[in-house]
Amino acid sequence: MTAEGTSPEILFWVGCAGSFDDRAQRITRAFATILQAAEISFAILGNEESCTGDPARRAGNEFLFQMSALQNIEVLNRYEIKKIVTACPHCFNTLKNEYPALGGNYEVIHHTQFLQELIDQGRLKLKEGGTFKGKKITYHDSCYMGRINGVYEAPRSVLAQLDADLVEMKRSRKNGLCCGAGGAQMWKEDEPGDKRINTERVEEALGTGAEAIVANCPFCITMLNDGVTAKEKQESVMVYDLSEMIVNNLQ
Amino acid sequence: MIQQIIFIIVAAAALGYAARQFLRVRRNILLGQDEATTGDPGARWSNVLLVAFGQKKMFKRWIPAVFHFFIYAAFLITQIELIEIFIDGIFGVHRFFASGLGGFYTFVISFIEILSLLAFVATIIFLARRNALKLPRFHKPEMKGWPKLDGNLILIFELILLVGIFSMNGADMVLQSRGVEHYSDTGNLAVSSWLGPALFGGLSDGTLVAVERFGWWLHLIMVFVFLNYLPKSKHLHIVLAFPNTYFARLRPRGEMENMPEIMNEVKSMMGLGDDTGEADLSMEEELPEFGANDVFTMSWKNVLGAYACTECGRCTAVCPANITGKKLSPRKIMMDIRDRAEEIGQRLDSGNKEFARDPEQPLSKENYEDGKSLFDYISREEIHACTTCNACVEACPVLINPLEPILKMRRYEILTESAGPSDWLPMFNSIENQGAAWAMNIDREQWTRE
């Protein structure tokens, strides 16, 4: 994004998971494909992007958070970024709710909200009766999109476009159960206990009889994948990001 | 006349001692650090009205919410009758409002009676639920001993209080029907007009007068016992739920409190910013402390939350760490903060110089050191197990935030002690050196090339 006089409509904030994690890279590509299909001009920061600092801050390391965040704000302000879309709820939350206190003010939207906008505006055309038509799927609310930022309906209304049979888990929306990755848990071993949190969540998801578990967060997806694999259900139950569900059904 | 004198002495003693205890609670809450209350007061009042008065969050679970509402409404409305009891007690009159208000008096007292009857039923159901139904959240490790007894005592006190009200009104009804002098006409009260004759119909006038006085005094004494018990009990939520909902944070849930002193330090390190915050942390004489390891370094609002907690355990019941058998229980975090604040308060009251940082100076909040901290109550394992999912924050019916103290203790551990889970070190290193949460040998644009 060495600006060549043209200013992109939107900055796609890829995030660490989306950049480095094999599984999450697939989500990044799916979302980029959708953006191209909708003819959105977007930019990425590439190697000028750093971790937003979310895991450092939640672990308690405020110094590191401030270093990372202030550096990002420098870059974002230098490019005069106004609008950011990201596929990671943790990046979303930090950019949206925590950067303003440090001098970074942007319009931040999550890719689930953006997908809904594109569909509502008719900029994305989906196939009639796609891959998931009539099939049971369930949706896992990530804490950082759901309970923390109150986004429950946008992803569900996107899923409604797929004519799938959306079955809710008992703990959903405000009462959604965490996947176990937040608060920097992703980077550490669990504290001693009876079972892993992702196992608890996957048991609930499998209980719905869904063939696909849809999520909106790369960390949730890793956790849910691990849980499904631990239950030896990886052949029959897939874990998808919302954008992957859509990209499969583009016209 | 003797009754009046006894009444005034008992009331003055009970109110005086209660006031002293409430002031102690206030002092303990203010052991925490100052925190400004910012944001729209309208939104704060709306929280008080909806969440505290309206019990909005209780109604996520319908059945307990309805029973709880009976007890709550009966408690609020009974205060009207209490005003009359005070007037009667001081001036030696009987049912002071009855003659002046006429039919309206009958209506108000009947209303109180119906709510009291509903509260009686609800209290028995709550006792059964607590002791027979074995609801898991009432039987977590932190609910052993005093907290368990406390929960039951409150309910038993409530029953005794209601027995007082109905003996008083019931005996009065029978006395009125017999036209006994002094017992002015109140009209037919909704519950005691049938309950009174059913229970006391066969008693002599003299016994009835005694039953009426017994009920009156029992009611009054239980109110005083209650008032003095509250500051020691989880039941304090009936008072502190209101300020707690008012002072609850209005910032977005996902925003952790910024630390301007660190932000300014990092800004000046990076050659950014305004250089207004000239404080160079490394130049200060004492090593700075960040985060919180004790009540003194929590915000007073965290301590208020601890005193407002009624240990219902809805937070713990939805905590993913607790559900999967980890030691973390958000309720216990709040209970521990209160216990620690109580401990400090008692030691301050003792005046024992052993607890003074500087024994030459009088013992005070500023001059206090007992060699203990919140880490003696809350283990590292507990604060490390939190996923920051905010389920506890969402669950609390009175807007207590158990997450904030957990994160403040993590900050203390990492920033002040340079401790914390060693698992996090590679993540810290790679963010610091590579700007990425994982150290990878690929660049951020790799995904674009496949």
Side-chain angles (χ1 to χ4, degrees):
Chain A
M1 143 133 184
T2 37
E4 296 134 2
T6 58
S7 75
E9 208 172 319
I10 203 159
L11 176 80
F12 174 22
W13 183 276
V14 183
C16 297
S19 302
F20 301 123
D21 180 77
D22 281 346
R23 178 69 189 83
Q25 279 187 355
R26 303 216 302 267
I27 303 167
T28 308
R29 284 190 211 107
F31 185 57
T33 307
I34 294 170
L35 290 175
Q36 282 163 349
E39 294 173 354
I40 306 286
S41 83
F42 68 96
I44 57 168
L45 286 178
N47 288 314
E48 289 188 86
E49 184 187 289
S50 294
C51 172
T52 58
D54 160 84
R57 187 172 232 197
R58 268 127 198 103
N61 197 335
E62 185 72 5
F63 264 103
L64 190 52
F65 165 74
Q66 294 283 350
M67 281 167 55
S68 217
L70 289 167
Q71 192 184 329
N72 280 324
I73 291 169
E74 270 279 288
V75 175
L76 291 167
N77 289 352
R78 178 150 38 89
Y79 287 120
E80 296 177 0
I81 300 297
K82 303 274 184 302
K83 189 171 180 181
I84 304 175
V85 65
T86 176
C88 172
H90 295 266
C91 296
F92 168 83
N93 179 67
T94 298
L95 292 166
K96 179 174 191 280
N97 293 322
E98 299 193 322
Y99 278 19
L102 280 67
N105 294 286
Y106 321 100
E107 183 192 347
V108 186
I109 50 174
H110 186 246
H111 76 318
T112 53
Q113 298 168 302
F114 198 58
L115 287 172
Q116 187 197 17
E117 261 178 51
L118 293 179
I119 290 171
D120 289 353
Q121 293 166 357
R123 291 171 85 169
L124 268 187
K125 295 272 184 289
L126 300 181
K127 286 187 286 212
E128 287 285 322
T131 334
F132 291 94
K133 190 177 163 72
K135 289 188 178 163
K136 262 191 193 175
I137 59 173
T138 190
Y139 177 71
H140 165 82
D141 288 282
S142 66
C143 305
Y144 275 76
M145 281 321 292
R147 196 158 38 237
I148 294 173
N149 282 293
V151 178
Y152 305 110
E153 299 313 323
R156 286 179 171 80
S157 88
V158 172
L159 282 175
Q161 304 290 318
L162 301 174
D163 294 327
D165 176 15
L166 178 64
V167 196
E168 293 286 352
M169 288 182 261
K170 192 165 170 250
R171 289 174 284 195
S172 69
R173 290 191 171 85
K174 270 186 184 172
N175 304 320
L177 182 74
C178 178
C179 71
Q185 296 297 331
M186 188 75 187
W187 288 269
K188 65 186 268 297
E189 288 299 318
D190 291 355
E191 299 305 317
D194 305 332
K195 64 155 100 157
R196 303 202 66 201
I197 296 171
N198 58 346
T199 310
E200 170 85 11
R201 185 53 161 172
V202 163
E203 283 169 358
E204 189 177 4
L206 294 177
T208 64
E211 292 175 47
I213 306 170
V214 186
N216 61 37
C217 167
F219 299 102
C220 295
I221 285 175
T222 302
M223 287 307 220
L224 295 170
N225 260 330
D226 288 356
V228 170
T229 310
K231 292 268 156 195
E232 297 181 346
K233 286 278 192 280
Q234 68 274 27
E235 303 299 328
S236 52
V237 178
M238 297 300 292
V239 181
Y240 288 115
D241 181 78
L242 195 67
S243 57
E244 295 174 299
M245 301 291 280
I246 296 301
V247 86
N248 283 334
N249 286 276
L250 283 178
Q251 270 183 10
Chain B
M1 191 64 196
I2 294 172
Q3 264 206 60
Q4 278 167 266
I5 293 168
I6 297 175
F7 176 86
I8 291 169
I9 292 172
V10 170
L15 293 177
Y17 191 63
R20 223 183 82 146
Q21 289 196 77
F22 277 97
L23 285 173
R24 280 194 65 244
V25 168
R26 182 175 182 276
R27 190 268 322 269
N28 290 355
I29 290 170
L30 295 179
L31 291 173
Q33 286 188 336
D34 281 349
E35 183 188 329
T37 301
T38 53
D40 177 18
R44 295 186 177 281
W45 282 112
S46 130
N47 275 343
V48 175
L49 284 176
L50 290 174
V51 179
F53 270 107
Q55 317 219 325
K56 184 177 149 197
K57 296 206 121 190
M58 285 295 289
F59 280 87
K60 280 176 146 188
R61 290 168 195 241
W62 265 95
I63 299 169
V66 168
F67 289 126
H68 180 266
F69 195 84
F70 289 158
I71 298 179
Y72 160 74
F75 170 81
L76 277 189
I77 305 290
T78 309
Q79 304 317 312
I80 301 173
E81 205 179 10
L82 198 62
I83 297 172
E84 188 184 47
I85 289 187
F86 264 80
I87 295 173
D88 290 353
I90 294 170
F91 300 105
V93 288
H94 184 72
R95 297 205 179 251
F96 176 74
F97 292 133
S99 53
L101 295 177
F104 183 65
Y105 184 85
T106 313
F107 170 76
V108 172
I109 303 294
S110 292
F111 192 57
I112 292 174
E113 284 201 338
I114 291 167
L115 280 172
S116 298
L117 188 65
L118 292 172
F120 194 86
V121 174
T123 308
I124 288 175
I125 290 172
F126 279 173
L127 267 173
R129 186 174 70 139
R130 214 165 248 280
N131 298 290
L133 276 184
K134 298 283 172 208
L135 212 61
R137 65 187 158 103
F138 292 138
H139 298 275
K140 295 278 176 183
E142 68 267 24
M143 297 308 286
K144 303 268 183 288
W146 165 246
K148 185 182 158 117
L149 179 65
D150 187 21
N152 282 322
L153 274 180
I154 285 292
L155 293 169
I156 292 165
F157 286 172
E158 237 152 48
L159 288 181
I160 299 176
L161 200 137
L162 292 167
V163 167
I165 292 182
F166 285 119
S167 331
M168 171 178 108
N169 288 356
D172 202 307
M173 281 275 98
V174 181
L175 286 164
Q176 281 179 45
S177 69
R178 292 184 193 168
V180 177
E181 206 192 341
H182 181 69
Y183 294 92
S184 47
D185 182 22
T186 59
N188 274 338
L189 300 178
V191 177
S192 50
S193 60
W194 53 267
L195 188 65
L199 291 177
F200 311 124
L203 301 179
S204 69
D205 287 1
T207 318
L208 281 172
V209 171
V211 170
E212 197 278 337
R213 281 297 87 191
F214 167 79
W216 191 87
W217 277 101
L218 184 67
H219 180 183
L220 185 75
I221 297 290
M222 283 319 292
V223 168
F224 290 150
V225 167
F226 223 79
L227 194 64
N228 281 280
Y229 181 76
L230 275 186
K232 298 179 178 64
S233 161
K234 78 185 192 75
H235 210 57
L236 191 54
H237 82 290
I238 63 168
V239 180
L240 294 187
F242 296 91
N244 198 65
T245 49
Y246 181 83
F247 290 113
R249 61 184 278 171
L250 298 174
R251 292 197 304 270
R253 233 178 228 175
E255 183 191 355
M256 271 179 73
E257 198 186 352
N258 195 29
M259 299 178 77
E261 65 278 33
I262 292 185
M263 179 176 74
N264 292 331
E265 173 72 8
V266 172
K267 275 187 176 172
S268 77
M269 255 167 49
M270 291 169 68
L272 294 168
D274 18 344
D275 274 340
T276 43
E278 276 170 28
D280 185 354
L281 298 173
S282 55
M283 294 298 285
E284 281 175 24
E285 284 177 25
E286 246 183 295
L287 272 177
E289 287 201 354
F290 297 111
N293 70 330
D294 211 339
V295 167
F296 302 110
T297 34
M298 291 288 170
S299 156
W300 69 270
K301 293 185 183 181
N302 300 135
V303 194
L304 173 64
Y307 275 93
C309 173
T310 196
E311 301 166 12
C312 72
R314 285 160 195 244
C315 52
T316 295
V318 295
C319 172
N322 194 277
I323 288 171
T324 55
K326 277 90 179 171
K327 230 178 123 191
L328 173 63
S329 161
R331 167 175 56 191
K332 178 178 171 291
I333 302 287
M334 300 320 292
M335 291 168 71
D336 285 340
I337 293 173
R338 179 172 178 169
D339 288 349
R340 173 62 180 154
E342 281 293 310
E343 179 180 61
I344 296 170
Q346 276 164 19
R347 288 180 170 181
L348 282 174
D349 287 339
S350 77
N352 190 338
K353 284 288 170 72
E354 190 191 325
F355 304 122
R357 190 190 300 268
D358 175 2
E360 304 299 308
Q361 301 296 319
L363 194 60
S364 72
K365 172 185 162 183
E366 289 76 24
N367 184 31
Y368 183 87
E369 178 58 69
D370 64 357
K372 288 178 79 175
S373 77
L374 265 178
F375 283 107
D376 292 302
Y377 287 77
I378 301 168
S379 66
R380 314 272 165 167
E381 185 180 327
E382 290 164 66
I383 62 166
H384 294 166
C386 174
T387 69
T388 71
C389 77
N390 275 268
C392 53
V393 179
E394 170 64 36
C396 182
V398 297
L399 307 185
I400 299 166
N401 185 331
L403 175 58
E404 231 176 64
I406 294 173
L407 292 174
K408 284 180 181 174
M409 290 181 77
R410 281 191 180 178
R411 280 178 165 169
Y412 186 87
E413 200 180 31
I414 299 278
L415 299 169
T416 305
E417 300 181 322
S418 303
S422 57
D423 286 351
W424 279 339
L425 292 178
M427 183 259 286
F428 292 160
N429 285 333
S430 91
I431 292 181
E432 189 170 349
N433 300 321
Q434 273 126 315
W438 290 278
M440 294 280 181
N441 282 325
I442 54 172
D443 69 61
R444 280 189 182 260
E445 292 167 18
Q446 194 224 32
W447 64 272
T448 61
R449 290 190 287 272
E450 277 177 38

